[in-house]
Amino acid sequence: MPYPPPSRTPSGPRRRSLLASAAGAALLVGCSTGSGGSEESAGGSLSVTQKARALAARDSVGLLGRYDAVLAAHPAVAEQLRPLRAEVVRHAEAFGGTVAKGGGSIGSASPSASASESSPYAAVPANEKDALAELAAAERALADRRIAALLDVPGELARLLASVAAAGAAHAYLLTEGAQ
């Protein structure tokens, strides 16, 4: 009696089911906040959250200062930058930063954030294209820092950081495309 041909179906789980399981596990881990709460959990979680929020607010307010400097140096790009700047204002406020109603940046949720908001952005390139490219680089660098910070913060703040980082990456793209 001849043996039947070997089955071509591999034994064990298929690649799709493994990928689906891994993605589901990542979602469960990423969406859980630990001990049934958000930022009220005991120990250092609250301070980590507060520090991360303060840093994110300071960074957004600093980026807002950069937008203001470019707008002051190159008023011709105001129409292009106005909606992006408005988003940065909303990001700063979402993290607890404070923004002057008249447009300028005035501070953040962190008491130690006062010195670094204006000094790194004092010089704006005279060339409009270079100014937009530097603004895009600042958006991209901030988005990268926020992505890196995701692992260190609890659920809701991680989701906010991820959302704002994605918006920053989109801003960098729009600024790069607008500069060409």
Side-chain angles (χ1 to χ4, degrees), residues 3 7 9 29 42 45 52 58 67 81 83 96 100 103 114-115 121 131 135 138 141 151 165-166 173:
Y3 291 108
S7 172
T9 307
V29 169
S45 180
R58 186 186 75 210
Y67 270 90
L81 294 184
S114 59
Y121 305 124
L135 192 54
L151 298 175
Y173 173 77

Side-chain angles (χ1 to χ4, degrees), residues 39-54:
E39 297 167 11
E40 292 105 27
S41 58
S45 180
L46 185 59
S47 65
V48 168
T49 300
Q50 287 175 330
K51 288 177 185 177
R53 274 190 179 278

Side-chain angles (χ1 to χ4, degrees), residues 33-156:
T33 57
S35 60
S38 57
E39 297 167 11
E40 292 105 27
S41 58
S45 180
L46 185 59
S47 65
V48 168
T49 300
Q50 287 175 330
K51 288 177 185 177
R53 274 190 179 278
L55 178 61
R58 186 186 75 210
D59 287 345
S60 291
V61 170
L63 184 61
L64 182 60
R66 181 64 182 161
Y67 270 90
D68 290 343
V70 171
L71 284 167
H74 302 287
V77 298
E79 187 175 323
Q80 177 186 359
L81 294 184
R82 195 171 295 120
L84 302 178
R85 185 193 178 281
E87 285 290 317
V88 173
V89 168
R90 284 192 286 278
H91 297 161
E93 291 171 345
F95 290 119
T98 53
V99 179
K101 296 298 179 196
S105 54
I106 60 171
S108 76
S110 170
S112 65
S114 59
S116 65
E117 280 147 18
S118 58
S119 61
Y121 305 124
V124 175
N127 181 338
E128 184 178 291
K129 185 176 180 179
D130 292 341
L132 291 177
E134 281 191 9
L135 192 54
E139 283 272 18
R140 197 173 301 110
L142 183 53
D144 290 346
R145 285 196 311 272
R146 287 180 170 156
I147 294 288
L150 290 176
L151 298 175
D152 300 328
V153 296
E156 191 60 34

Side-chain angles (χ1 to χ4, degrees), residues 16-32:
R16 285 184 193 166
S17 59
L18 284 175
L19 289 174
S21 299
L27 283 173
L28 288 174
V29 169
C31 292
S32 69

